[in-house]
Amino acid sequence: RTNAAGMARVTIKLPDNLTRYRVMAVAVDESGQRFGTGESNLTARLPLMVRPSAPRFLNFGDKFELPVVLQNQTDEDMQVEVVVRAANLELGVAGLRVTVPANDRLEVRFPASTVRAGEVSLQVAAVSGEYADAATIELPVYTPATTEAFATYGVIDSGAIAQPVQYPEGVFPQYGGLEISTSSTALQALTDAVLYLVQYPYECSEQLASRILGIAALRDVLTAFEADGLPEPAELEASVARDLARLEGMQNYDGGFPYWQRGFESSPFNTVHVAHALVRARLKGFDVPETMYQNALAYLAQIENYYPYWYSENTRQTLSAYALYVRNLAGDRDIQKAENLLRDAGLENLSMPAIGWLWPIIENETRLDEIRRFVANRVVETAGAANFTTGYDEQSYLLLDSDRRTDAILLEALMEDNPQSDLIPKLVNGLLAHRTKGRWGNTQENVFVLLSLDRYFNTYEAQTPDFVARIWLGDTYAGESEFRGRTTERHETLIPMTYVLDETAGSLEDLIISKEGAGRLYYRLGLRYAPTDLNLGPLDMGFVVRREYEGVDNPEDVYRDAQGRWHIKAGARVRVKLTMVADNRRYHVALVDPLPAGLEIVNPSLAVSGSTPQDTSENTFRYGWWWWGTWYEHQNMRDSRAEAFTSLLWDGVYEYSYVARATTPGTFIAPPAKAEEMYSPEVFGRSASDVVIVE
């Protein structure tokens, strides 16, 4: 019963070992009729509590001190034994005995260092007499930016090949090794390209659409891709569903898609590209939201109404051609509009991608003969490869043009027009020859090459495989794999780096792959390693990048010693300052700064972060006497890095800064900050790597 004020006090006796409990209250009147309920989840007041405070992530090569807070919630001093057990961590001390004062807390630290990239599992337990508590933590250990990987591809029709392997010097024996993949289909050669799209770290509307296109195009053959790091097919399909949902949230009311978020101006190219992804995904059986799909196609049907006034005629024509191509894939074949565009522009004035997109729609034989002749006159052939010559203008960045993408677009059109053309295998060889580390240069190149090569592989591989592949490293037999009948199965053999170092023993050895039987053997030979020297110097390949740290609240909180290592006071706020110099106009720029694991970004957009001091000289660009705000269009504050993006960057000096807090004591690797053109990654620059000591 409540008192006159409607209040009642109830005492509940809980078992000693209870850590969490739920309290429920039911209000009834004098007749027993229920008229109200309430409940609450609460945490019990434990006599002894253990709370580890690990960083959010680690880098391979980090050495740190794991802070563990012990809390005594009794009225007497408590002698506590605390122990740590870890997988993938080397602990300097595994256990300590300390005294925790009554109704107080004490922090103890366990020195630790990472063993290899992957995941760390931590278990921390504390015991004092009849009282005990424990906690479990898992956190990722990222591969440092200084790891390197190289791959070479080839085919064997008969006999064997010998690939020399040089003894790797200055590498960690516990990381990487020789990777040998064998297959009876060239689909395995697409592994790194698919991985590139799946793992691409930035997520604007174009990049989300490209990931969907890459996965959807190869939905029927993803079981062939079993390389290290590639998710299972079910997880990839779930990724498509998530990306579709994110795109749906970006779509503007006009049906178009901006680069980053709804409300910003729709990008005509991005909208056509997203519509392309929606059509391909729907054709492959993915569940595409109907309203988003129809609104995107409606935008394409009248795309000419959405071109900004400053778009050139060539840009407009190419976008219209791409829109017609996507509409044709969706079953909305507009032959008349395609032929009008071809007639009004003239073949000689159209871009090569525009011609490739219009080619499958044109039905007039006279026009088709003109296209065939025009395209054939722009092919550069060698004995084994071919590519097309093309040109670009100052607005090519709006269309994300590139040579390899143009080759892929025209290859697909040629396969549809004349499947027996001798030019087709040469174009395929030309595309495969332009891979770097198993992939092409950017998301656009990778997705359009995947679309065209998927069609090629499904069309032209005719011989039924029936063979055995065998592998040797020097005189040591490493394994074999059988291929009987048509299959996309791929066999992988990993020779760990420790064995490679022992086998080569400072000399040059041959890795031998042989084939016995009918069919074509495709192989991939990869070498993955991490140099023991984690310190990289700065590099200028189109950008100059410099990184500095400074104290926010007290300049003495941060200093740099004679060896160039940064020292930061634990708990201090730090301003990370990046300076980027572009010596020419750059397009679609990403500036990325990886964090040392001992720091956490203070995100000013989160209410719990509190206020951070603003420096108006940072992150802005100026024209005349006008201040135009930030030079970047979008930024991401992630657990392990800060990212800033812009689609157009004029030549000049730019600064970017953010605030972080030193949270974990230790010595941490800070991989280089890097600026790159996302669609021309060979144009890049990086700062030096840094060592950050939190103390």
Side-chain angles (χ1 to χ4, degrees), residues 78-116:
M78 184 180 291
Q79 189 175 65
V80 180
E81 294 179 341
V82 55
V83 295
V84 177
R85 183 170 64 176
N88 199 22
L89 268 188
E90 185 175 314
L91 295 169
V93 177
L96 295 170
R97 180 182 291 112
V98 296
T99 299
V100 184
N103 294 307
D104 203 352
R105 66 188 67 187
L106 180 70
E107 181 186 88
V108 295
R109 296 179 179 178
F110 292 86
S113 58
T114 55
V115 176
R116 65 181 66 86

Side-chain angles (χ1 to χ4, degrees), residues 643-692:
E643 305 167 339
F645 307 90
T646 184
S647 56
L648 178 61
L649 189 74
W650 296 92
D651 56 304
V653 180
Y654 298 85
E655 294 184 329
Y656 177 75
S657 74
Y658 60 94
V659 175
R661 187 180 295 277
T663 57
T664 306
T667 301
F668 302 96
I669 302 297
K674 183 179 180 181
E676 67 172 351
E677 286 192 343
M678 291 186 288
Y679 299 100
S680 299
E682 67 276 8
V683 181
F684 74 97
R686 69 168 184 245
S687 71
S689 57
D690 287 300
V691 175
V692 174

Side-chain angles (χ1 to χ4, degrees), residues 154-171:
V155 298
I156 302 175
D157 290 313
S158 60
I161 62 99
Q163 173 68 47
V165 177
Q166 179 65 51
Y167 174 77
E169 296 182 349
V171 299

Side-chain angles (χ1 to χ4, degrees), residues 634-647:
H634 181 74
Q635 67 174 340
N636 291 325
M637 299 293 188
R638 302 185 183 273
D639 285 349
S640 61
R641 64 188 184 273
E643 305 167 339
F645 307 90
T646 184
S647 56

